[in-house]
Amino acid sequence: MGLVDKFKAGLRATQEKLSHEISRIVSGSPKLDQESLEELEFVLVGADLGMGAAQRIISAIKEGYESQGSGGVNVFSLARQEIAGVFNQPVVELHCGNGLTIVSLVGVNGTGKTTTSAKLAHRFQMNGGKTMLAACDTFRAAAVEQLKQWGQRLDVPVIAGSYGADPASVAHDAVIAALARKADYLFIDTAGRLHTKNNLMAELEKLHRVVDKQEPGAPHEVLLIVDATTGMNALSQAREFHRVVPLTGLVVTKLDGTSKGGMVVAIHDELKLPIKFVGLGEQADDLQPFDPTQFAEALFAD
Ligand code: GDP
């Protein structure tokens, strides 16, 4: 399957729901009266696009109907334009310096940090980079094992601590190893933590401080991994994490299993953080750079 098709397939659940509902409302009310517009807004908010984006789409539709009449307006194409307009900055996949780029992956439990670390290491290895992984989720023996298995499968070296080891000291060792091996990228898989738990957030800050001491300016990227199936919960996670550890971007995982893919828009709209990648499955190559135009087209295909 080509990249664009994968993207479309991943967002199919969200798209089908939107397309079905929008077509029903538009065909049932060719003049789109106030009640139908409200119903449309409800559908957009239901796909977790967020109030701001939903209202802008509705305003564009209303304006279109007022100036061109129902014949000249395509609701889907207006929605695509509005969505693509939300993401108006070009996305840089990852920081690219002369030496080692260190990327820390953070987020709550189960969002896909370990899997995404492996997918990223694979992606940048396939692009010709030397990549390494650091298993800093020392709270869960299974997480360390899981990353080691990915490393073996993908032929990417993994620096791991033992169960219960200090995550900051594992990160420290991993940075030394990555520098010694002249790696281009080190991906640090951190433990899942609730953004509401202050001690765990402090531990994450410590890990980043230790990395910065070893390699000034690092981590160069702090990516929040959010699970698309959690809808608007992801927005509150993003808000809180960003307050404590300034994020450089987001990766939205499990877009393949949700009808709430619109939350990507709501998060970007509020926090203006770049969505760097999206996860569209469980395999190593089921990770794609986020492309706003493709995303808008996949979401509002008519
Ligand atoms: P962590 O606790 O944040 O490290 O999460 P894991 O990486 O262990 O992932 C939790 C589960 O989500 C695993 O079963 C993964 O295979 C699955 N997963 C991760 N990313 C994706 C994705 O993009 N799509 C789907 N369908 N599953 C994913």
Side-chain angles (χ1 to χ4, degrees), residues 110-115 119 140 146 253-254 256 279-282:
T111 53
K113 288 175 298 303
T114 306
T115 313
K119 286 175 174 175
R140 288 193 308 133
Q146 193 187 337
T253 62
K254 309 186 200 179
D256 51 309
L280 295 163
E282 294 186 276

Side-chain angles (χ1 to χ4, degrees), residues 104-107 113 117 134 136-137 188-193 204 207-208:
S104 171
L105 288 89
V106 304
K113 288 175 298 303
S117 308
C136 293
D137 184 355
I188 301 178
D189 179 26
T190 67
R193 65 198 75 229
L204 189 58
L207 189 150
H208 288 169

Side-chain angles (χ1 to χ4, degrees), residues 146-169:
Q146 193 187 337
L147 200 65
K148 281 184 179 166
Q149 280 172 14
W150 272 114
Q152 268 171 8
R153 215 177 309 154
L154 302 172
D155 202 17
V156 173
V158 179
I159 306 299
S162 49
Y163 172 64
D166 177 7
S169 99

Side-chain angles (χ1 to χ4, degrees), residues 43-285:
V43 168
L44 298 173
V45 172
D48 278 357
L49 284 162
M51 281 304 281
Q55 282 171 355
R56 283 200 300 279
I57 294 173
I58 296 298
S59 299
I61 295 170
K62 210 169 154 192
E63 243 169 63
Y65 267 72
E66 278 163 12
S67 60
Q68 300 164 46
S70 57
V73 174
N74 180 331
V75 170
F76 290 93
S77 106
L78 282 176
R80 283 196 290 269
Q81 277 171 31
E82 285 299 314
I83 295 300
V86 170
F87 303 93
N88 51 9
Q89 294 149 350
V91 176
V92 177
E93 280 192 27
L94 287 183
H95 163 93
C96 180
N98 280 331
L100 175 66
T101 294
I102 300 177
V103 182
S104 171
L105 288 89
V106 304
V108 306
N109 259 327
T111 53
K113 288 175 298 303
T114 306
T115 313
T116 305
S117 308
K119 286 175 174 175
L120 282 170
H122 178 61
R123 176 176 180 83
F124 285 86
Q125 186 184 47
M126 295 309 276
N127 288 347
K130 188 168 186 182
T131 64
M132 284 178 66
L133 287 159
C136 293
D137 184 355
T138 52
F139 291 106
R140 288 193 308 133
V144 175
E145 261 327 293
Q146 193 187 337
L147 200 65
K148 281 184 179 166
Q149 280 172 14
W150 272 114
Q152 268 171 8
R153 215 177 309 154
L154 302 172
D155 202 17
V156 173
V158 179
I159 306 299
S162 49
Y163 172 64
D166 177 7
S169 99
V170 180
H172 171 266
D173 293 351
V175 174
I176 291 182
L179 288 170
R181 296 184 201 185
K182 299 202 177 350
D184 300 300
Y185 294 95
L186 172 67
F187 297 98
I188 301 178
D189 179 26
T190 67
R193 65 198 75 229
L194 273 180
H195 44 295
T196 46
K197 290 270 180 351
N198 291 341
N199 54 336
L200 291 178
M201 294 305 272
E203 185 203 79
L204 189 58
E205 280 181 297
K206 177 183 161 197
L207 189 150
H208 288 169
R209 259 197 324 275
V210 166
V211 168
D212 177 49
K213 208 161 169 201
Q214 202 60 42
E215 181 66 1
H220 308 94
E221 298 273 1
V222 180
L223 301 180
L224 178 71
I225 315 302
V226 294
D227 174 343
T229 63
T230 61
M232 281 301 179
N233 256 337
L235 178 59
S236 57
Q237 288 163 22
R239 236 182 246 137
E240 288 304 310
F241 267 90
H242 195 42
R243 211 170 44 78
V244 183
V245 278
L247 304 169
T248 59
L250 275 93
V251 179
V252 181
T253 62
K254 309 186 200 179
L255 262 187
D256 51 309
T258 180
S259 58
K260 292 181 170 290
M263 47 73 87
V264 174
V265 180
I267 292 181
H268 182 77
D269 211 16
E270 178 174 324
L271 299 174
K272 306 291 179 232
L273 282 168
I275 312 288
K276 299 242 180 189
F277 297 92
V278 290
L280 295 163
E282 294 186 276
Q283 303 307 314
D285 56 1

